[in-house]
Amino acid sequence: EVGGGGGEGAVGDGERGAAGDIARGVSGASRGDVDGIGGAGGAGEARAGRDGGAADGGDGGSDDDAPELRCLSIQSHVVEGYVGNKCAIFPLQLHGFDVSPIMSVHFSNHTGYGSWEGTVLQGEQLIATLDGLERNGLLRFTHLLTGYMGSASFLRAIVECVRRLRAVNPDLRWVCDPVLGDNGKLYVPAELPAIYREEIVQHASLLTPNQFEAELLSGVEIGSVKDAVRACDVLHARGPRTIVITSSALGAASVVLLASTTWEDVASSALFAGAEREGDHVRFAIDIPKLEGVFTGTGDLTAALLLAWTERLPGDVVGAVERAVASVQAVLRRTLKHGSPRRELRLVQSKRDLERPEVVLRAYRVDE
């Protein structure tokens, strides 16, 4: 059973806007308000072989020595506020990525404000953009990040996007956040879950559903840790190497993040050092105490940070998840302290925490 934790603070996917925006947040009592990740107070300690040095923003050599990292980020965009690409671009740039954004929707603001204006893009517009990039030899990407999709045609065009990108770079890593809804409620067109199941999931490298989305994609109702592991197994069988269920309602007083990945992806993790290898996958979890409040964009920030840290810490998905948790928690605390309107994330002001988070909440192994 998953247990433990302590301190205060959590992050979650509050609402995924009804008209097509992803508005992930956090909060108190209901399942729908506690989807995501967070951290707790206290003193962080270094983990031998993982923390500190270049991986945590220390002096790892000049920028010229670093490999070229290019990320195509396809998700929602708002003019004002922080959701979708507005949450992803800055953190990825801080971690050394050149980021090329494509907008799935272009809104004045996120839907938590009650009114908004803008455009939902269709698949032919994405294909036209890809055509332009391809003609100029510009489909040279090492990573793909996807989030909210506002139409079925746009989501289907993602498959063609992946095909073209991997034709240029077969090693392209794709972090797919399958934004569908939460708390048993769908916030996207009704045909999207089936498209994800049948056409999308098998191509992703890392999948980041919340509990509701994991249930929709796997067909497994999650009422226990055993159920969550079974859902991960179903999804692994379809293709993704790593699955992070960013939140679940499995903890009485906390949000539970559960991850499943390969043994190779924890080869450098202290958590699994000396562990007897059984089966194809390993599981770990983090208990995240709840933080009162509703925020937007935390899920988008989480996916971006998971992409960054899994690149920076090869063989240590555990460390990558812990750092994403720590960064998001720091951003939320700063946002709460500032009392910004509509709880817009204090992202720019959290530069140091995005680059060098203090890890407090630690992962623990989940035995099947």
Side-chain angles (χ1 to χ4, degrees):
E1 291 297 324
V2 174
E8 62 181 10
V11 180
D13 278 5
E15 53 182 313
R16 309 219 188 198
D21 187 13
I22 171 172
R24 292 193 167 189
V26 91
S27 152
S30 69
R31 159 67 187 92
D33 291 329
V34 295
D35 186 17
I37 69 171
E45 69 277 10
R47 176 167 290 174
R50 296 199 293 106
D51 291 356
D56 274 356
D59 184 7
S62 71
D63 291 342
D64 292 337
D65 296 330
E68 184 177 8
L69 300 173
R70 292 174 47 81
C71 179
L72 181 63
S73 181
I74 307 177
Q75 50 189 312
S76 62
H77 172 75
V78 292
V79 176
E80 179 64 28
Y82 288 94
V83 296
N85 268 324
K86 288 283 290 287
C87 275
I89 295 171
F90 179 59
L92 286 172
Q93 288 173 331
L94 290 178
H95 284 275
F97 287 80
D98 278 329
V99 185
S100 299
I102 294 179
M103 317 311 178
S104 61
V105 301
H106 188 284
F107 287 165
S108 56
N109 48 269
H110 66 72
T111 59
Y113 282 88
S115 66
W116 61 92
E117 297 293 339
T119 303
V120 177
L121 278 69
Q122 301 300 316
E124 58 266 26
Q125 292 167 295
L126 175 56
I127 295 300
T129 301
L130 294 173
D131 288 343
L133 292 170
E134 191 169 36
R135 279 194 297 269
N136 290 287
L138 299 174
L139 289 180
R140 299 173 290 103
F141 294 98
T142 57
H143 295 73
L144 172 65
L145 174 63
T146 60
Y148 177 82
M149 303 292 154
S151 68
S153 68
F154 198 95
L155 180 57
R156 283 199 165 99
I158 292 293
V159 179
E160 173 63 12
C161 176
V162 173
R163 186 192 68 78
R164 295 194 195 189
L165 294 182
R166 285 187 171 150
V168 177
N169 176 17
D171 296 324
L172 176 92
R173 291 189 62 246
W174 177 13
V175 175
C176 174
D177 185 10
V179 181
L180 296 171
D182 65 5
N183 196 29
K185 184 176 181 180
L186 204 63
Y187 289 126
V188 297
E191 60 267 40
L192 263 59
I195 297 173
Y196 269 107
R197 284 193 302 267
E198 298 165 10
E199 304 177 37
I200 299 293
V201 167
Q202 61 265 40
H203 302 293
S205 308
L206 193 161
L207 197 67
T208 63
N210 61 30
Q211 178 177 339
F212 174 62
E213 292 157 350
E215 291 174 335
L216 285 175
L217 296 178
S218 68
V220 176
E221 185 175 349
I222 299 174
S224 67
V225 172
K226 186 176 181 180
D227 293 336
V229 169
R230 187 157 58 93
C232 288
D233 285 339
V234 171
L235 295 173
H236 278 308
R238 293 178 182 167
R241 183 182 180 102
T242 300
I243 297 157
V244 180
I245 300 179
T246 55
S247 67
S248 69
L250 300 178
S254 62
V255 176
V256 178
L257 177 151
L258 187 139
S260 180
T261 191
T262 68
W263 283 93
E264 289 74 17
D265 288 314
V266 296
S268 300
S269 171
L271 183 64
F272 290 95
E276 183 178 351
R277 181 165 181 159
E278 295 181 5
D280 296 326
H281 299 97
V282 295
R283 337 285 184 168
F284 63 91
I286 300 178
D287 291 342
I288 305 162
K290 298 173 184 177
L291 178 66
E292 294 296 334
V294 176
F295 304 86
T296 61
T298 55
D300 308 317
L301 177 58
T302 299
L305 289 169
L306 286 174
L307 186 153
W309 281 112
T310 51
E311 172 63 30
R312 296 187 66 181
L313 297 174
D316 190 9
V317 170
V318 177
V321 172
E322 288 177 338
R323 284 162 176 76
V325 167
S327 287
V328 175
Q329 178 60 36
V331 172
L332 288 188
R333 289 183 181 278
R334 184 166 287 105
T335 302
L336 279 175
K337 182 178 180 180
H338 183 264
S340 58
R342 299 284 180 175
R343 295 267 169 81
E344 295 287 6
L345 298 181
R346 302 285 286 176
L347 206 61
V348 174
Q349 297 80 4
S350 301
K351 176 180 179 293
R352 184 181 182 281
D353 293 307
L354 294 170
E355 291 178 300
R356 303 189 65 179
E358 180 185 14
V359 175
V360 176
L361 284 181
R362 293 293 186 180
Y364 55 91
R365 290 161 56 177
V366 172
D367 296 322
E368 301 176 39

